[in-house]
Amino acid sequence: MTEARTRTTPRAAVDAPVNGAGRKGTKAAKPGSDYTAASIQVLEGLEAVRRRPGMYIGSTDIRGLHHLVWEIVDNSIDEAMAGYARTIRVTIAKDGTVEVIDDGRGVPVGKHSTGKDALEVVHTVLHAGGKFGGGGYKVSGGLHGVGVSVVNALSEWLRVETARDGSIWAQEYVRGKPTGPVTKVGPQGDRKGTRTLFRADPEMFESTDYSFETIAQRMRESAYLTKGVWITLVDEREDREKSFHFEGGLQSFVRHLNRNKEALHDRPIYVDRREGSTMVEVALQYNDTYAENVLAFANNINTVDGGTHVTGFRAALTSSLNDWARKAGVLKGSDGNLSGDDVREGLTAVISVKLTDPQFEGQTKAKLGNAEVKGQVQTAVTEALTQYLEENPGDGRKIIDKCLTASRAREAARKARDLVLRKGALDGLSLPGKLADCQERDPERSEIYIVEGDSAGGSAKAGRDRRFQAILPMFGKMLNVEKARLDKVLSSEKIRPLIIALGAGIEGIDDSFDITKLRYHRIILMSDADVDGAHIRTLLLTFFYRHMPKLVEAGYLYIAQPPLYRVSTGKVTKYAQTEKDRDRIIKEFNTKNLSVQRFKGLGEMNADQLWETTMNPETRTLLRVDSENAAQADEIFTKLMGENVEPRKEFIKAEARKVQNLDV
């Protein structure tokens, strides 16, 4: 999971009445009433990208920043998938410039039908590229032809060099506009491929600080998905370097994902078949955990929202295991079939399809829509899985035994869920007894603080704006859901009130989680800034990631940022979240008569202090929780909260040197 720092002001705060403590909302500006022919604007070239960058890269936060890297690297990966490139090198320079070099065919040069050079057209015109007519690429991830031109538009500066036709050709751009023509800068010699350098425009992004780990994770995935390619990542800011090369492809990928778990069968089940014009490659392996971890890719693009390839895989998995279990006599005639949820518990799988004309939803390509792919994947997986089970009946029985155990636990969880739902319905408006609900009933205008302890809960209830802020105190030892089946989760006295309060159900039972029924669109975790608080926060994050992932994906989960220090002159008071901020404030005051207080917990703050520092939408800072990288998030939660102790020890040893403030 990643965290994005953000300010959030609920719409309920606009023109709302005062809550008895002198807190006022902000009046909304009245929209303009003049709408004439002069209001119609035509945006030329790449101006539309700079005006509305979110339409092309999803956002202008840290995710959008990294999307620039993905667009350039994906072009190099396309060359590798086509069999022309073997090496890709990504370098982050000290000044934030990113360089991507491959040894592919290079971007074509020469006069284009538009009258411009082809190199310039590719970099300055939307929907221009070699992936439309079928002559340049049989399979590629970039189908809209907007990738490199969008990067160019959102870069302060970009330079491209291409080795073609015996020469090196180059062109430079400033914020998407060429500074001169395409020029020959030297002989080609032994050089091959394309070299692109760009510096993200700080005017367009909230931050231009790249994450080495985020890029490394993406490069690792790309290397797994493209067998034989070498990808090197260099970070000159910290003198770090990693290289990725996997001859085992998806099988190596699945082993990597399961390395901190106990596998039920030693060798991943592997599918590699062509169905029509589509290449279907799947690797899967069961482990002893209770979570499902399925990653899906189409032309090496991570389709985080799934699509037809995932639907086909799930159908094949469920039907194949049921058919084999009955044929092997593990399932009797009177036994009911295993459900999709049953056969996916403890499953790790990677699905990769490569096709000539993928249909993605949106430029960020989150979901595959090709209808024919469902049947192609289902056929390929069914045939391969059936063959594997016939040849490895011992592994088959281990898998079915786990599925049967999951089925029995899921039936118990279904009863527990029904009890939770009935409890919520019977309680009606009162909901859980500990919940102090808000007056607002529109989820978009409502938020709930999940607070550690009764003491902090009391301060939060007294300090909140009851119009749109609800408070749910959590106390006592919370269940570690990473080590518990769903029936145990639903039976937990600590978790049941949370599920009832949120109102959307829970994942894992008959698709019963319904995000449209969620009662709050800002769910804010607020715990003490000490070891116990961090532990409770981690337990809650694990719960949400494992059992309400759609809530996280929707961007509804936040972490409050209460201060650690209060610095006061008696007349003026400021708050600091770190020692560095505290020292800066002390220097600003430049006086000897200072009072410096370190808060040990939220309960030490009075209601007004908690409101002023942590709950007031006008002044607070929240961290939004994001799980863009599912593989990395799954690894972290397994490592920190799973049964296997050794990976946790290694993680603590590796990260201990980064700790600055430790409460003991």
Side-chain angles (χ1 to χ4, degrees), residues 214-243:
T214 298
I215 298 176
Q217 181 68 26
R218 175 75 175 228
M219 298 305 99
R220 180 184 290 109
E221 287 184 359
S222 297
Y224 280 128
L225 292 161
T226 312
K227 286 187 290 189
V229 69
W230 278 92
I231 304 179
T232 300
L233 172 62
V234 179
D235 189 346
E236 295 179 348
R237 301 169 304 176
E238 300 178 3
D239 193 24
R240 300 177 68 185
E241 180 174 329
K242 282 187 178 182
S243 293

Side-chain angles (χ1 to χ4, degrees), residues 99-300:
E99 176 188 63
V100 180
I101 302 175
D102 66 54
D103 60 352
R105 291 170 291 181
V107 181
V109 292
K111 191 171 183 180
H112 187 261
S113 60
T114 59
K116 299 179 181 179
D117 191 283
L119 185 69
E120 181 175 331
V121 171
V122 167
H123 286 79
T124 60
V125 179
L126 294 176
H127 308 293
K131 303 170 185 178
F132 296 105
Y137 295 87
K138 291 183 179 180
V139 171
S140 73
L143 270 297
H144 296 78
V146 299
V148 70
S149 54
V150 166
V151 176
N152 193 13
L154 299 177
S155 294
E156 182 180 19
W157 167 84
L158 184 144
R159 175 183 174 87
V160 59
E161 298 176 2
T162 180
R164 294 280 299 204
D165 308 327
S167 300
I168 305 297
W169 308 83
Q171 190 173 32
E172 292 189 8
Y173 314 84
V174 172
R175 294 185 170 88
K177 296 180 180 179
T179 59
V182 176
T183 57
K184 185 188 298 185
V185 295
Q188 181 173 354
D190 295 332
R191 186 166 160 185
K192 296 170 60 181
T194 306
R195 175 178 183 244
T196 302
L197 300 96
F198 69 91
R199 187 183 302 129
D201 191 346
E203 294 180 3
M204 305 304 300
F205 293 93
E206 297 172 13
S207 169
T208 56
D209 186 15
Y210 295 97
S211 165
F212 179 87
E213 294 301 333
T214 298
I215 298 176
Q217 181 68 26
R218 175 75 175 228
M219 298 305 99
R220 180 184 290 109
E221 287 184 359
S222 297
Y224 280 128
L225 292 161
T226 312
K227 286 187 290 189
V229 69
W230 278 92
I231 304 179
T232 300
L233 172 62
V234 179
D235 189 346
E236 295 179 348
R237 301 169 304 176
E238 300 178 3
D239 193 24
R240 300 177 68 185
E241 180 174 329
K242 282 187 178 182
S243 293
F244 306 100
H245 175 81
F246 305 104
E247 292 294 341
L250 296 197
Q251 295 179 80
S252 298
F253 199 172
V254 167
R255 287 193 179 98
H256 170 77
L257 295 172
N258 271 346
R259 71 189 185 281
N260 294 325
K261 304 167 185 175
E262 191 70 33
L264 293 190
H265 46 104
D266 293 335
R267 183 164 53 95
I269 302 171
Y270 183 59
V271 182
D272 187 6
R273 303 192 179 207
R274 177 182 290 275
E275 293 291 332
S277 60
T278 302
M279 290 299 301
V280 179
E281 189 179 7
V282 177
L284 63 104
Q285 186 180 43
Y286 282 87
N287 59 65
D288 64 342
T289 71
Y290 310 121
E292 171 194 359
N293 185 21
V294 175
L295 304 180
F297 301 83
N299 291 5
N300 280 29

Side-chain angles (χ1 to χ4, degrees), residues 386-462:
T386 300
Q387 180 180 345
Y388 180 89
L389 294 171
E390 293 289 346
E391 296 175 354
N392 302 273
D395 288 350
R397 288 184 177 276
K398 290 178 184 177
I399 293 170
I400 297 301
D401 284 345
K402 180 173 178 61
C403 296
L404 287 170
T405 303
S407 179
R408 290 189 288 269
R410 191 157 277 102
E411 182 57 35
R414 194 173 285 112
K415 294 177 181 177
R417 181 217 38 198
D418 293 342
L419 178 63
V420 169
L421 294 178
R422 285 199 304 273
K423 175 70 173 171
L426 290 173
D427 283 354
L429 293 178
S430 67
L431 293 167
K434 289 285 185 179
L435 174 69
D437 205 4
C438 58
Q439 298 166 352
E440 180 61 59
R441 290 294 173 262
D442 182 351
E444 290 189 26
R445 300 169 180 259
S446 306
E447 59 190 38
I448 182 171
Y449 278 84
I450 302 171
V451 185
E452 173 196 354
D454 279 343
S455 177
S459 294
K461 288 177 183 178

